[in-house]
Amino acid sequence: MKRPRIVILGAGFAGFQAARTLSRTYGDAVEVVLVNPTDFAVYLPLLPEVAAGIVDPRHISVSITATLPGVRLVLGTVTGLDPKTATVEYIDPEARPGTLGYDRLIVAVGSVTKVLPIEGATRHSHGFKGIPEALYLRDHMIRQVELAAVADDPAERAARLTFVVVGAGYSGTEVAAAGQLLTRALIRRNPLLRGERARWLLLQLGDHVLPEMRPRMRATAERVLTRRGVEVRLGTSINRAASEGVTLTDGEFVGARTVVWTTGVRPDPVVDGFGLPTAAGGRVAVDEYMAVRDHPGIYAAGDVAAVPDLTRPGQITPMTGQHATRQGKVVARNVAASLGLHGRARPYRHRNLGFVVDLGGWKAAADPLGVPLSGVLAKAVTRGYHLWSIPANRPRILTDWVLDAVLPRLSVQLGLVRSGAVPLDTADPELPYDHSPASVTTL
Ligand SMILES: Cc1cc2nc3c(=O)[nH]c(=O)nc-3n(C[C@H](O)[C@H](O)[C@H](O)COP(=O)(O)OP(=O)(O)OC[C@H]3O[C@@H](n4cnc5c(N)ncnc54)[C@H](O)[C@@H]3O)c2cc1C
């Protein structure tokens, strides 16, 4: 008998867990197909350590074929959904379109960097949402320090040694923390820069860094960063970005060659064309079972889904890896239940277990189960949590950390940055589309 096909769109935290749960528990009864542009899932929380040159990018890339042997991986980017015929359209890495039929669909395509309509922001700032962007940023930072060393003009030298991070959520805060330590090490090692220091600005429009976290964690992060010399500017963002610097919302011009854009994320825009109901900020509207309203057989989970937060009535779950991972497991069981393979569907309910924020060096802020920690203890908890959470490559990551503790940081560029500017979307070029019917693959 033909097994029902469950198609999962996206191999992030939610999609990966859904595929793993389905293939491990119900693999004999269902065909699990995972559509993702790459053959790996990225463990995003360690991205700042990749940008800082601490962790090898391959080590935060979890091989889908090695870790999910029972799952059929379709390399591709989904471009459309037709609920009437129960098919999705995708483009493979060689720009060939294909279609895929499903009995059940889980939409888990995650989120993308939210770009605000600020003059020059897209062109002159770096995004920070994937491995290419982290590697570009690392190359760019190293190159700025090297160019500063040979700049005769003091203003140019100062601008090359000035780094502006816009947005102080966990990615912005961690990038500022890790980046500042990297540039400090690079400057110390360069005799031409004796007496110089990098200037780092962390801009946050609200009243605190890490707005989504508890006050003790925010205070720890602000204290650690400020003591290190990072200028934390609250109530401030930028009005304009240009090749020579940024104009802050208070009117000050800051000469800088590096602007990192981390003001938040929005659901992947591909779902705008799916015709599914949406809620807050364009996330796919689902019920507490993660089923899409009025669309039998279609579910959504993770950053892309507006899942009701039953622990905070009236609100939806925040876009975090912690929720996406658990939603992936629950949605898998609910899909299995809809096929008669597993009891009854159960609602998604998860109380936040705390956050961890790596502040570079031996510092971190963490509040596991609500217990506020800082310093080395928080660092140990933070690293332990990441090792526990990543589904593969643990010994490799541990080795990276040990080597970084005992050896000087490698400071050569990879040669990825060739132009003077690195626009927000450089690392994510649009795929060329070929819609000619002759090249359509139907699975
Ligand atoms: C730098 C950084 C640090 C973070 N740190 C933390 C942290 O410490 N703790 C925490 O809880 N959260 C953290 N987060 C947030 C967390 O990573 C996200 O909430 C989580 O990744 C969401 O999981 P997801 O499965 O919904 O989406 P994602 O993990 O974004 O995965 C989406 C997947 O879908 C794929 N995809 C996208 N479009 C398509 C398409 N059209 N077709 C097919 N596939 C597609 C993508 O390639 C990707 O594989 C961090 C995020 C960043 C960027």
Side-chain angles (χ1 to χ4, degrees):
M1 210 174 77
K2 196 170 162 281
R3 293 180 299 166
R5 180 188 282 171
I6 302 168
V7 173
I8 301 168
L9 310 183
F13 283 57
F16 183 90
Q17 286 300 336
R20 180 147 90 167
T21 305
L22 283 163
S23 63
R24 281 188 179 173
T25 320
Y26 316 100
D28 294 339
V30 293
E31 179 193 2
V32 184
V33 181
L34 184 56
V35 190
N36 199 60
T38 60
D39 64 347
F40 57 86
V42 182
Y43 186 74
L44 287 170
L46 287 179
L47 211 53
E49 300 210 34
V50 170
I54 299 169
V55 173
D56 187 310
R58 289 167 305 169
H59 299 168
I60 67 162
S61 311
V62 175
S63 163
I64 295 170
T65 43
T67 50
L68 302 175
V71 171
R72 177 167 168 198
L73 172 66
V74 172
L75 280 181
T77 302
V78 171
T79 53
L81 163 68
D82 183 356
K84 287 199 191 82
T85 56
T87 51
V88 291
E89 292 167 17
Y90 67 92
I91 304 274
D92 85 0
E94 296 185 348
R96 291 174 306 178
T99 60
L100 196 53
Y102 62 83
D103 296 294
R104 296 288 184 277
L105 181 72
I106 301 175
V107 181
V109 290
S111 53
V112 297
T113 302
K114 184 161 61 184
V115 183
L116 304 176
I118 289 173
E119 189 187 334
T122 313
R123 174 147 184 73
H124 296 288
S125 51
H126 298 253
F128 201 72
K129 191 69 178 67
I131 288 177
E133 289 161 320
L135 293 177
Y136 267 67
L137 180 60
R138 179 178 172 276
D139 261 24
H140 179 83
M141 289 190 291
I142 296 171
R143 191 172 66 149
Q144 291 313 308
V145 173
E146 288 166 352
L147 289 174
V150 293
D152 295 326
D153 175 9
E156 182 194 336
R157 176 180 279 223
R160 293 203 183 277
L161 293 180
T162 299
F163 301 84
V164 181
V165 180
V166 188
Y170 37 58
S171 22
T173 302
E174 290 189 336
V175 167
Q180 193 248 3
L181 292 181
L182 172 68
T183 52
R184 191 174 76 181
L186 295 173
I187 290 171
R188 278 188 186 156
R189 229 183 284 166
N190 193 323
L192 296 175
L193 290 171
R194 192 151 298 139
E196 298 281 2
R197 58 184 287 274
R199 182 182 180 203
W200 278 80
L201 284 85
L202 178 59
L203 312 181
Q204 170 70 351
L205 209 42
D207 296 336
H208 302 283
V209 302
L210 302 171
E212 61 275 26
M213 293 174 199
R214 294 191 177 101
R216 287 278 287 269
M217 283 188 76
R218 297 177 193 158
T220 302
E222 276 178 33
R223 193 181 60 243
V224 170
L225 292 178
T226 310
R227 277 194 192 151
R228 278 209 202 120
V230 175
E231 296 172 39
V232 179
R233 299 272 191 103
L234 301 173
T236 310
S237 184
I238 63 169
N239 272 342
R240 181 173 178 266
S243 55
E244 68 279 8
V246 291
T247 308
L248 306 185
T249 44
D250 60 12
E252 181 186 346
F253 175 79
V254 177
R257 297 286 194 274
T258 312
V259 182
V260 188
W261 193 266
T262 57
T263 55
V265 291
R266 52 153 299 191
D268 192 307
V270 71
V271 297
D272 296 348
F274 282 5
L276 301 176
T278 53
R283 293 167 87 182
V284 176
V286 295
D287 62 18
E288 63 270 38
Y289 302 95
M290 285 172 279
V292 179
R293 260 184 279 122
D294 305 325
H295 286 77
I298 303 183
Y299 296 73
D303 281 6
V304 79
V307 181
D309 190 341
L310 299 183
T311 67
R312 300 179 308 152
Q315 303 198 43
I316 55 174
T317 54
M319 291 170 159
T320 65
Q322 198 178 125
H323 278 294
T325 302
R326 285 163 180 82
Q327 287 172 6
K329 290 180 190 169
V330 174
V331 79
R333 294 202 189 94
N334 290 350
V335 165
S338 77
L339 292 166
L341 303 170
H342 167 89
R344 288 201 352 227
R346 68 178 167 100
Y348 176 74
R349 181 190 292 271
H350 169 67
R351 203 174 286 281
N352 175 23
L353 295 176
F355 283 103
V356 295
V357 179
D358 197 315
L359 298 172
W362 295 103
K363 307 277 188 205
D367 62 351
L369 304 172
V371 181
L373 301 174
S374 59
V376 181
L377 189 54
K379 185 79 179 192
V381 168
T382 300
R383 289 201 154 166
Y385 172 77
H386 289 318
L387 276 188
W388 172 72
S389 301
I390 192 164
N393 302 343
R394 294 186 182 111
R396 290 189 164 91
I397 290 170
L398 196 56
T399 308
D400 286 342
W401 286 336
V402 172
L403 291 177
D404 184 64
V406 297
L407 295 175
R409 190 89 46 93
L410 289 174
S411 59
V412 285
Q413 298 177 47
L414 292 174
L416 298 172
V417 183
R418 295 191 191 279
S419 63
V422 183
L424 249 182
D425 50 2
T426 299
D428 190 15
E430 274 192 24
L431 285 165
Y433 284 35
D434 171 9
H435 289 297
S436 57
S439 55
V440 172
T441 315
T442 303
L443 295 172

